[in-house]
Amino acid sequence: MYLEHYGLGEAPFRITPHTDFFFTGANRGATLEALLYAIIHDEGIVKISGEVGSGKTMLCRVLMERLPDNVVIVYLANPSLSRADILYALADELGIAVPDNSRAGTVMRALQETLVSLYAEGKQVVVLIDEAHAMPMETLEEIRLLSNLESNRHKLLQLVLFGQPELDETLLRADMRQLRERITHNFSLEPLVRDDIERYLDFRMRAAGYRGPSVFAAGAVKLIADASQGLTRRINILADKALLAAFAAGGHQVGAKEAKAAIKDADFATARPRRAAPPLSAGLAWALGGAVAMLALIGIWRMFDQTPAAAPVAAAPILPPPSSSAPASEPAPPPPQAIAPLPAAAEPPPPAAAEAESTEKPGPSDTPMLDKLLEQSQPWLAALTPKRWFVQLYTTTDSTQPGKVEAFLRQARNAGLDMDLLRVYHSDLGKVSRFGVIYGDHAERKDAVKALEALPAELKRYRPYVRQTVRLMPASNTGKKN
């Protein structure tokens, strides 16, 4: 409707992935290059995670275009398949004719024979699985078995998983540890910060054919940044509505008035998702199962029947999903450094009985170190400047269980870490509420890298990484626990 008004050749803010509009800023371009390197030169499973609307599908589509000609691409857009169905889907994509009533073992053998043949022709097969967080558990297990297909020296199948943070949580289950250890590269798409959003808006306009001065005023950019929470899909929706509002008013500049109209029209800008009751965690389920088995063994079921319904049940903490975000926007690092293999995620240290987590929210006395560090960290968080560097030690996406953070802090102290350099923040992004533990404060990235390399081995198992304060500033808040 407004294309001619702004001199555009096509709509600049469509929410469908259009690879001509791929934004290489905010480390997206560096992530793409690292992905290409990892897929072509490595043999492990690659995982890319990000919030809803963060640009995972766009990255996947661009990746498909950039892979070399010798790569045979299998793209699965709907992974909600059973364990057998995903084998049939792969066979179909590779042109393998198998009878509908074939057993899974028969299909697997046919797949292996075809993969060996393609490998002999100098071809590499890459399976890109979008929305991988929707995969059933048994299908994920089949993915692990597929990763076993190999020749004498090389893997025959490269697997790439794109998913929301729920995928990270699924992989933390005890029965998923074998698959988790086969993931050699983890990438994360972080929300855009305000400066990135300003460049993103201008880039999309010019990619669509615009040739004039910047359309979005500084006030409009700030409002869109706040309302979108840095998620590209939301940015696109708000920018499109704001352009339409400016067009309706007969203007060519999008200011605060037009941005506010767009925000008002988009419910997601102010509405927070209703927070559902937390599901029964794997650790809690294990604890309950173990308790029932023990009671059956010693024959005191009646005692179990008399247990008050409201009594909290202790559960071993579950390792939070490793944060593997790319560092802050800066000149793209060389691919080998960007995709350096990470060790398998560590299991969390079991806290003492008095510190074990329960289904009820613990009081302040249950997390004394966390409470103290949250309070002590506030002056530093309030005085943040965007050009400092630190080490992200630990992140949990379940802020209703601060006992996990408390357990990690105790491990850090026992490992000899300088607790005066340790800080804790709490943040909310859409439906994700998290605690983060960070270490150090450096003017140069190289100094933060040195601090990372000097960390005790037991803490490196949590996959710490170097990060810039500009990435933390939009997320940090009062530090209060939910």
Side-chain angles (χ1 to χ4, degrees):
M1 181 181 293
Y2 54 71
L3 299 186
E4 186 177 350
H5 182 73
Y6 291 102
L8 300 171
E10 55 185 316
F13 295 107
R14 291 181 295 182
I15 61 173
T16 52
H18 186 336
T19 56
D20 289 345
F21 289 86
F22 177 65
F23 179 60
T24 59
N27 222 40
R28 262 55 173 178
T31 300
L32 174 62
E33 295 301 322
L35 267 174
L36 287 167
Y37 185 92
I39 290 171
I40 295 171
H41 296 90
D42 200 69
E43 297 183 339
I45 299 175
V46 179
K47 176 173 67 66
I48 302 95
S49 61
E51 275 296 331
V52 178
S54 60
K56 298 184 297 297
T57 301
M58 169 70 90
L59 181 64
C60 183
R61 298 288 176 82
V62 177
L63 179 64
M64 292 169 67
E65 291 186 357
R66 303 284 180 88
L67 286 169
D69 294 337
N70 70 307
V71 174
V72 178
I73 299 172
V74 176
Y75 176 64
L76 299 180
N78 178 23
S80 300
L81 301 169
S82 69
R83 188 168 188 167
D85 286 342
I86 198 167
L87 294 178
Y88 279 105
L90 290 174
D92 184 62
E93 289 288 334
L94 293 172
I96 305 172
V98 292
D100 291 341
N101 58 350
S102 298
R103 299 176 61 181
T106 302
V107 182
M108 182 71 86
R109 282 194 296 273
L111 276 172
Q112 185 165 16
E113 291 173 2
T114 300
L115 292 173
V116 169
S117 177
L118 289 170
Y119 176 74
E121 297 173 11
K123 296 185 180 298
Q124 179 183 5
V125 179
V126 175
V127 180
L128 306 176
I129 303 175
D130 207 355
E131 306 294 333
H133 57 275
M135 271 192 169
M137 297 295 175
E138 63 271 12
T139 308
L140 282 171
E141 173 61 16
E142 193 65 38
I143 291 295
R144 181 186 70 81
L145 296 177
L146 285 168
S147 71
N148 288 334
L149 297 177
E150 55 190 16
S151 67
N152 290 336
R153 295 186 178 182
H154 299 281
K155 294 288 185 182
L156 298 175
L157 201 63
Q158 176 71 60
L159 296 157
V160 185
L161 307 177
F162 292 82
Q164 295 172 17
E166 289 83 352
L167 175 62
D168 298 323
E169 297 172 5
T170 298
L171 292 173
L172 291 171
R173 290 168 51 106
D175 54 352
M176 288 285 106
R177 67 185 185 278
Q178 293 186 65
L179 174 60
R180 184 172 68 240
E181 291 178 0
R182 292 170 188 254
I183 297 175
T184 57
H185 300 288
N186 292 272
F187 299 92
S188 177
L189 293 181
E190 288 196 349
L192 306 185
V193 297
R194 180 178 170 183
D195 288 346
D196 295 332
I197 293 172
E198 184 175 7
R199 291 191 291 270
Y200 176 81
L201 293 169
D202 191 60
F203 162 77
R204 298 278 300 211
M205 287 292 291
R206 299 190 186 283
Y210 181 71
R211 294 295 178 265
S214 296
V215 173
F216 292 86
V221 174
K222 182 181 185 303
L223 288 168
I224 291 174
D226 292 341
S228 68
Q229 298 179 319
L231 300 175
T232 53
R233 183 181 300 163
R234 291 185 173 191
I235 295 169
N236 289 349
I237 294 172
L238 291 174
D240 180 71
K241 292 179 182 293
L243 284 173
L244 186 59
F247 164 71
H252 287 80
Q253 181 84 4
V254 174
K257 179 180 178 182
E258 291 75 22
K260 288 178 180 178
I263 292 168
K264 183 177 180 181
D265 191 59
D267 289 340
F268 63 75
T270 54
R272 291 281 184 176
R274 184 173 298 175
R275 198 178 299 275
L280 189 67
S281 68
L284 183 54
W286 180 89
L288 287 172
V292 171
M294 181 62 71
L295 289 173
L297 182 65
I298 62 176
I300 53 171
W301 288 99
R302 183 171 298 178
M303 182 184 298
F304 180 80
D305 291 337
Q306 296 173 353
T307 302
V313 184
I318 304 301
L319 175 66
S323 176
S324 50
S325 318
S329 180
E330 57 176 336
Q337 181 180 353
I339 52 94
L342 295 171
E347 295 295 334
E355 301 161 10
E357 299 174 47
S358 71
T359 56
E360 295 183 356
K361 184 176 178 181
S365 60
D366 295 320
T367 55
M369 293 183 68
L370 173 59
D371 296 335
K372 180 180 178 181
L373 281 171
L374 277 172
E375 181 178 357
Q376 291 179 348
S377 301
Q378 289 315 300
W380 184 84
L381 290 168
L384 275 182
T385 57
K387 301 299 183 182
R388 306 290 293 181
W389 295 88
F390 61 88
V391 177
Q392 184 81 35
L393 285 179
Y394 183 90
T395 307
T396 173
T397 56
D398 187 358
S399 67
T400 64
Q401 295 184 335
K404 292 189 290 187
V405 187
E406 180 77 10
F408 175 81
L409 293 173
R410 291 182 181 277
Q411 185 182 24
R413 182 189 61 186
N414 295 339
L417 210 63
D418 187 348
M419 302 302 286
D420 291 335
L421 301 178
L422 212 63
R423 299 177 182 87
V424 179
Y425 65 87
H426 176 264
S427 70
D428 284 288
L429 177 61
K431 65 180 181 180
V432 178
S433 181
R434 55 167 61 89
F435 285 112
V437 181
I438 60 182
Y439 182 65
D441 182 2
H442 307 278
E444 301 290 338
R445 186 178 187 275
K446 62 181 181 180
D447 296 327
V449 171
K450 291 180 181 178
L452 172 64
E453 294 172 348
L455 287 174
E458 57 265 44
L459 299 184
K460 288 183 179 180
R461 297 168 61 203
Y462 292 93
R463 298 185 183 137
Y465 61 96
V466 171
R467 199 177 185 197
Q468 198 171 25
T469 50
V470 67
R471 294 291 178 185
L472 182 63
M473 292 172 67
S476 61
N477 61 11
T478 61
K480 295 180 180 179
K481 293 184 287 185
N482 286 353

